[in-house]
Amino acid sequence: CTCKSWSDLIGSSGFVSTHLHRNVTKHAHVYLLCLHHPNFECQNDNDDPYDIEELQWSLFSNGTFVQFSNLSHPLENTEHYRIYGSSNGLVCISDEILNFDSPIYIWNPSVRKFRTTPTSTNINIKFSYVALKFGFHPGVDDYKAVRMMRTNKNALAVEVYSLRTDSWKIIEAIPPWLKCTWKNHKDTFFNGVAYHIIEKGPIFSIMSFDSGSEEFEEFIAPDAICGPWGLCIDIYKEQICLLCRYYGCEEDGMEKVDLWVLQEKRWKQLCPFIFPWDDWNVTIGISIDDELLMEIRDFDKGVANLYL
């Protein structure tokens, strides 16, 4: 009797919503998920095609980067996989180099279960570029995956996957301003909306697609952004932000990353992140605690370190 009543309680939508809201607001159970070599260094011979070292997934502390636990990979082979989004403990993984027929998996490491999404209806079309993002849409209370694909003739196809219905839907209405030649750069997913940095000639802009309302929108990037180098898009204090490491810092021996946030469909520039200068700093993005997450590479030792 107790098992049945507890099962009914934790399986109810009200309990699930309350539990997820508590974790999100308190930043509880937040970890870095990493695919890495067992000893954090590649031990195999890269010149020997038969010498393959098995990789593993692990959880790391969000603040100290200390290894927390190992995870069992849902698939037999860990090679050539990449994370395309995570939300509320669900992780979307697929091929490192996406193709139109790449399998897509929605993985729950906590309960060691995963789901493979159905085959795309665009399976017979050849695409030159494929982008994939995944996350939770609070407006429709569903987990969504957005896949954007372009042909060599700049035709754009967009599909939306719903975890609730376990099905893909093709988006027919593509706005005219996307029916042209453009380059896709970095992207992110926030509150059910996929955001992509796109380059159309000399102009940089942010293309957004709402996986719930299925509507596109475009936001022209700030005038100071004139190239893709050092350009990043992420979430800062519950707002879409742009990070640009292009201009030098006025302080000697220091470096800066400029920061803009999208407020009421307009860009507002905030104080930049300023840190000691280093030749091999790489901006990764913003942590859940709104700190700049960076990678500093040491090519002499062949290693890279994470910094907040």
Side-chain angles (χ1 to χ4, degrees), residues 31-211:
Y31 300 98
L32 293 174
L33 177 60
C34 180
L35 180 63
H36 62 92
H37 295 281
N39 296 318
F40 304 102
E41 292 184 8
C42 184
Q43 304 291 336
N44 64 311
D45 183 2
N46 291 328
D47 296 327
D48 184 357
Y50 299 101
D51 186 11
I52 300 175
E53 184 179 25
E54 188 74 14
L55 301 178
Q56 72 178 55
W57 293 95
S58 295
L59 293 178
F60 293 82
S61 166
N62 182 54
T64 64
F65 304 142
V66 173
Q67 189 173 7
F68 177 74
S69 68
N70 296 335
L71 298 174
S72 299
H73 194 273
L75 309 170
E76 292 182 0
N77 185 12
T78 59
E79 291 284 342
H80 312 305
Y81 280 98
R82 179 183 163 191
I83 300 171
Y84 290 92
S86 65
S87 185
N88 299 334
L90 296 185
V91 182
C92 178
I93 59 176
S94 187
D95 293 341
E96 184 177 5
I97 300 176
L98 285 174
N99 205 340
F100 63 93
D101 58 352
S102 293
I104 299 173
Y105 307 97
I106 311 300
W107 176 32
N108 187 333
S110 298
V111 296
R112 300 178 183 178
K113 293 182 180 180
F114 73 96
R115 176 185 293 182
T116 306
T117 64
T119 304
S120 167
T121 54
N122 279 320
I123 198 70
N124 294 321
I125 303 176
K126 298 296 183 181
F127 294 97
S128 61
Y129 174 81
V130 181
L132 175 66
K133 297 309 292 182
F134 169 83
F136 181 69
H137 196 308
V140 297
D141 193 26
D142 193 9
Y143 294 86
K144 300 277 190 176
V146 177
R147 179 165 49 190
M148 295 188 178
M149 301 165 286
R150 291 175 59 204
T151 67
N152 290 326
K153 297 181 179 180
N154 294 318
L156 179 66
V158 179
E159 293 180 317
V160 177
Y161 170 78
S162 165
L163 186 65
R164 179 186 297 158
T165 62
D166 191 29
S167 62
W168 289 95
K169 179 181 179 181
I170 299 177
I171 305 302
E172 304 287 352
I174 305 297
W177 51 269
L178 280 175
K179 297 178 180 179
C180 63
T181 302
W182 49 273
K183 296 180 182 178
N184 188 85
H185 296 289
K186 295 187 177 181
D187 49 33
T188 192
F189 196 93
F190 179 58
N191 280 346
V193 182
Y195 295 88
H196 295 258
I197 300 176
I198 62 174
E199 179 183 358
K200 295 189 291 185
I203 299 175
F204 284 82
S205 62
I206 310 304
M207 171 189 64
S208 72
F209 173 75
D210 191 317
S211 60

Side-chain angles (χ1 to χ4, degrees), residues 235-250:
I235 296 98
Y236 180 76
K237 295 186 177 179
E238 299 295 308
Q239 301 168 101
I240 289 296
C241 75
L242 287 175
L243 299 163
C244 180
R245 187 183 156 209
Y246 187 79
Y247 299 98
C249 184
E250 294 78 11

Side-chain angles (χ1 to χ4, degrees), residues 192-303:
V193 182
Y195 295 88
H196 295 258
I197 300 176
I198 62 174
E199 179 183 358
K200 295 189 291 185
I203 299 175
F204 284 82
S205 62
I206 310 304
M207 171 189 64
S208 72
F209 173 75
D210 191 317
S211 60
S213 65
E214 300 175 358
E215 294 179 348
F216 292 87
E217 202 164 357
E218 183 179 24
F219 307 97
I220 303 299
D223 293 338
I225 294 176
C226 55
W229 189 86
L231 183 60
C232 223
I233 185 169
D234 214 319
I235 296 98
Y236 180 76
K237 295 186 177 179
E238 299 295 308
Q239 301 168 101
I240 289 296
C241 75
L242 287 175
L243 299 163
C244 180
R245 187 183 156 209
Y246 187 79
Y247 299 98
C249 184
E250 294 78 11
E251 299 182 38
D252 290 338
M254 304 298 284
E255 200 165 353
K256 72 171 181 176
V257 172
D258 289 306
L259 171 67
W260 292 265
V261 295
L262 188 62
Q263 294 182 346
E264 299 178 352
K265 301 185 179 182
R266 298 174 65 94
W267 295 106
K268 179 182 179 181
Q269 187 168 12
L270 303 182
C271 292
F273 291 97
I274 297 178
F275 47 89
W277 179 84
D278 191 287
D279 269 339
W280 305 113
N281 284 334
V282 178
T283 302
I284 296 178
I286 301 290
S287 75
I288 196 170
D289 296 315
D290 299 315
E291 296 176 313
L292 187 67
L293 183 61
M294 305 189 67
E295 174 188 353
I296 299 183
R297 300 171 180 175
D298 187 334
F299 288 97
D300 293 333
K301 296 181 180 179
V303 297

